[in-house]
Amino acid sequence: MSKPVQGTPATVPVSATQAGNVRDRWSWAAAEVWTERMLTALEQGVKGGVWFSLMDKVFSRRNLEAAATQVVGNRGAAGVDHMSVDQFGGDLATNLDRLHDGLRRDTYVPQAIRRHWIPKPGSTDMRPLGIPTVRDRVVQTALRHVLEPIFERDFAAHSYGFRPGRGCKDALRRVQELLTAGYVHVVDADLKSYFDTIPQDRLVDLIRRKVADGRVLALIEAFLKQGVLDGLSEWTPEQGTPQGAVISPLLANIYLDPLDHHMAEKGFAMVRYADDFVILCRSADEAERALAEVQAWVAKAGLQLHPTKTRLVRAEQEGFDFLGYHFRGSRKHWPRQKSRNKLYDTIRSKTRRNNGHSLAVIVANVNRTLVGWFGYFKHSLRRSLATIDSWVRMHLRSILRRRAGRRGRGRGDDHHRWPNAYFAEQGLYSLVAAHALACQSP
């Protein structure tokens, strides 16, 4: 995050007059849908800014085949029909024929979503995840192929979540850039149950401003009205878009895009990743004005700010959490407590004292977790990584202590019996060593 973001949004502005191959500028757009002629029209702007006759693009055989390839490649669990991706792919031609005919004849009806509860990272709370059937995931992917470029074209530059060519690291770099520039008064905002509370009618109205194909709009509404099966209970949601559905991240971005542009027009520096956003300001007064603007917009949009999680903070004092990091001041950041707790839970499961594997196998298993974790948190303060390294070694010493016939955690003389160098010889991945190497890289 030390490198300043260069401000190169993944979109092509409305006024773009760039030379060169239009396909290069939209390389992520599905070629099965977006021809060069369509992309040129997208850049130049269609009449009235509204797109007609899109449904044939959704159910085209090429688009459905490309969508199926993505869904099968992503794997994922079966939905309420119990059909796995392997089963769907095993009779792909027949399944795609059915989808093509159903969409073309307007007889396709989405099946219920299977609700699955998963733990919130670093917490004992649970959050709902919606699992559509494989066939519905294919159709949603084909639908996203058609819709995404239309809306991506005008999305605000400071939105980073679930967008082509951007991600968490870009958002974090932007936050760091603003903090370094003196924007240390922060609106730390939290939308309460955002995905579950989006007003569906208002969302469809926003989509209708750019999409006039009634069949496509009806398909979107059908997905929004999908039943939800939770155990033996089934109901139809009256608001929201289910987390876990392929189309949901795009729909969620569409609904918050007006907020992005509103705050930019008011001159506020906002950084948003899906429903997680912060507004960085130069003064406390500016932060209070920014919060008031957000409160007014959110209330008008039929949403809610979390009453206790939304707050005004000074970065140099209490700091704030964003996308897994805790920021303190303009240059200090480390993994937030929930991120560390999630890592600790994973390491604990791999280093139980009664673990019957050899130390080499345990270390290799732990390393897989540490390497992946460091890939995201390598920009943290060195001392925060040293604390985690020490904690991991303590758990490994506890295993060795038990095997030596002793009780309790690894401590005291265990540090001399199995010093840090011993674990380095065993090949244990060191976050501190990896951090030092990363800092030397250009």
Side-chain angles (χ1 to χ4, degrees):
M1 285 182 296
S2 58
K3 295 181 181 179
V5 69
Q6 298 300 314
T8 53
T11 59
V12 178
V14 176
S15 58
T17 57
Q18 300 152 302
N21 189 338
V22 66
R23 173 60 63 190
D24 292 340
R25 297 193 292 274
W26 295 88
S27 58
W28 56 267
E32 295 80 9
V33 174
W34 289 90
T35 63
E36 289 197 13
R37 181 181 62 80
M38 288 179 64
L39 290 174
T40 300
L42 181 66
E43 287 191 1
Q44 295 177 351
V46 295
K47 185 176 180 180
V50 180
W51 288 78
F52 296 84
S53 302
L54 294 173
M55 190 62 185
D56 62 313
K57 312 294 188 302
V58 175
F59 64 68
S60 78
R61 185 63 185 231
R62 290 186 66 215
N63 188 19
L64 289 174
E65 288 173 353
T69 298
Q70 287 183 249
V71 171
V72 172
N74 290 337
R75 308 301 297 172
V80 295
D81 63 354
H82 305 294
M83 178 179 283
S84 69
V85 290
D86 289 334
Q87 290 171 322
F88 186 91
D91 195 9
L92 186 61
T94 300
N95 287 320
L96 292 185
D97 283 343
R98 289 172 181 162
L99 289 180
H100 172 80
D101 290 342
L103 291 165
R104 182 172 60 86
R105 298 168 185 252
D106 295 325
T107 59
Y108 166 84
V109 177
Q111 294 175 278
I113 290 173
R114 179 168 66 87
R115 174 157 284 189
H116 177 64
W117 294 87
I118 61 174
K120 287 187 176 181
S123 169
T124 58
D125 296 334
M126 305 290 284
R127 70 178 179 91
L129 183 68
I131 304 176
T133 61
V134 177
R135 66 189 283 274
D136 289 344
R137 298 206 294 268
V138 171
V139 175
Q140 287 192 17
T141 302
L143 179 60
R144 192 192 68 207
H145 285 171
V146 173
L147 295 178
E148 192 168 32
I150 294 172
F151 291 92
E152 179 67 26
R153 171 184 183 268
D154 299 319
F155 277 162
H158 59 258
S159 163
Y160 296 90
F162 305 107
R163 294 182 58 190
R166 10 180 81 207
C168 290
K169 292 292 185 74
D170 301 302
L172 292 167
R173 288 190 189 101
R174 179 58 178 161
V175 168
Q176 184 61 59
E177 182 184 57
L178 289 166
L179 289 171
T180 303
Y183 292 76
V184 294
H185 297 265
V186 182
V187 179
D188 185 8
D190 186 279
L191 288 170
K192 187 176 180 181
S193 302
Y194 171 62
F195 279 82
D196 292 332
T197 59
I198 299 173
Q200 294 178 352
D201 54 345
R202 300 188 195 184
L203 172 60
V204 174
D205 285 342
L206 277 175
I207 297 171
R208 191 176 284 115
R209 294 180 186 179
K210 293 187 177 182
V211 175
D213 189 320
R215 298 171 71 192
V216 169
L217 292 170
L219 182 59
I220 294 171
E221 291 185 282
F223 282 124
L224 291 174
K225 298 296 184 183
Q226 276 178 283
V228 177
L229 184 64
D230 189 352
L232 298 177
S233 301
E234 183 174 357
W235 73 95
T236 301
E238 297 181 358
Q239 58 184 6
T241 179
Q243 296 189 60
V246 175
I247 198 71
S248 288
L250 174 61
L251 298 180
N253 272 335
I254 289 172
Y255 199 71
L256 285 183
D257 185 59
L259 172 63
D260 296 337
H261 289 285
H262 175 76
M263 298 305 289
E265 289 166 3
K266 294 291 182 179
F268 295 114
M270 183 167 119
V271 181
R272 181 173 70 82
Y273 190 97
D275 58 333
D276 195 0
F277 65 91
V278 289
I279 306 165
L280 295 97
C281 306
R282 288 187 177 275
S283 69
D285 287 344
E286 183 185 351
E288 289 178 0
R289 292 196 303 273
L291 177 56
E293 286 290 341
V294 170
Q295 288 172 329
W297 189 94
V298 165
K300 189 176 180 181
L303 303 172
Q304 270 188 297
L305 287 172
H306 198 290
T308 58
K309 294 182 180 180
T310 299
R311 60 199 184 116
L312 298 175
V313 299
R314 283 286 300 270
E316 301 98 327
Q317 296 173 3
E318 59 267 59
F320 63 97
D321 295 339
F322 187 60
L323 298 182
Y325 275 88
H326 179 78
F327 288 85
R328 184 72 60 85
S330 61
R331 296 186 180 277
K332 298 178 181 179
H333 36 267
W334 55 82
R336 70 172 184 165
Q337 189 60 52
K338 284 187 177 180
S339 301
R340 294 198 298 272
N341 289 346
K342 183 180 179 182
L343 174 67
Y344 291 158
D345 288 344
T346 303
I347 297 296
R348 280 193 192 97
S349 69
K350 296 184 175 186
T351 56
R352 301 191 189 283
R353 293 174 205 175
N354 59 356
N355 192 311
H357 294 293
S358 68
L359 184 62
V361 170
I362 295 172
V363 166
N365 197 15
V366 167
N367 282 352
R368 281 191 286 272
T369 295
L370 293 176
V371 170
W373 191 86
F374 181 75
Y376 187 78
F377 289 104
K378 61 184 176 183
H379 305 287
S380 302
L381 283 177
R382 179 185 180 280
R383 65 173 176 267
S384 68
L385 300 178
T387 299
I388 296 171
D389 274 345
S390 178
W391 186 90
V392 172
R393 288 192 295 266
M394 181 270 291
H395 271 258
L396 292 175
R397 288 189 180 103
S398 297
I399 294 174
L400 296 174
R401 182 183 177 88
R402 175 167 179 146
R403 292 179 180 179
R406 302 185 179 192
R407 296 182 179 181
R409 296 190 303 176
R411 60 180 183 269
D413 290 342
D414 293 339
H415 289 266
H416 301 292
R417 187 175 293 107
W418 300 292
N420 295 355
Y422 171 79
F423 294 105
E425 291 171 359
Q426 303 303 310
L428 179 64
Y429 188 81
S430 166
L431 299 175
V432 169
H435 181 268
L437 186 63
C439 289
Q440 295 173 5
S441 302

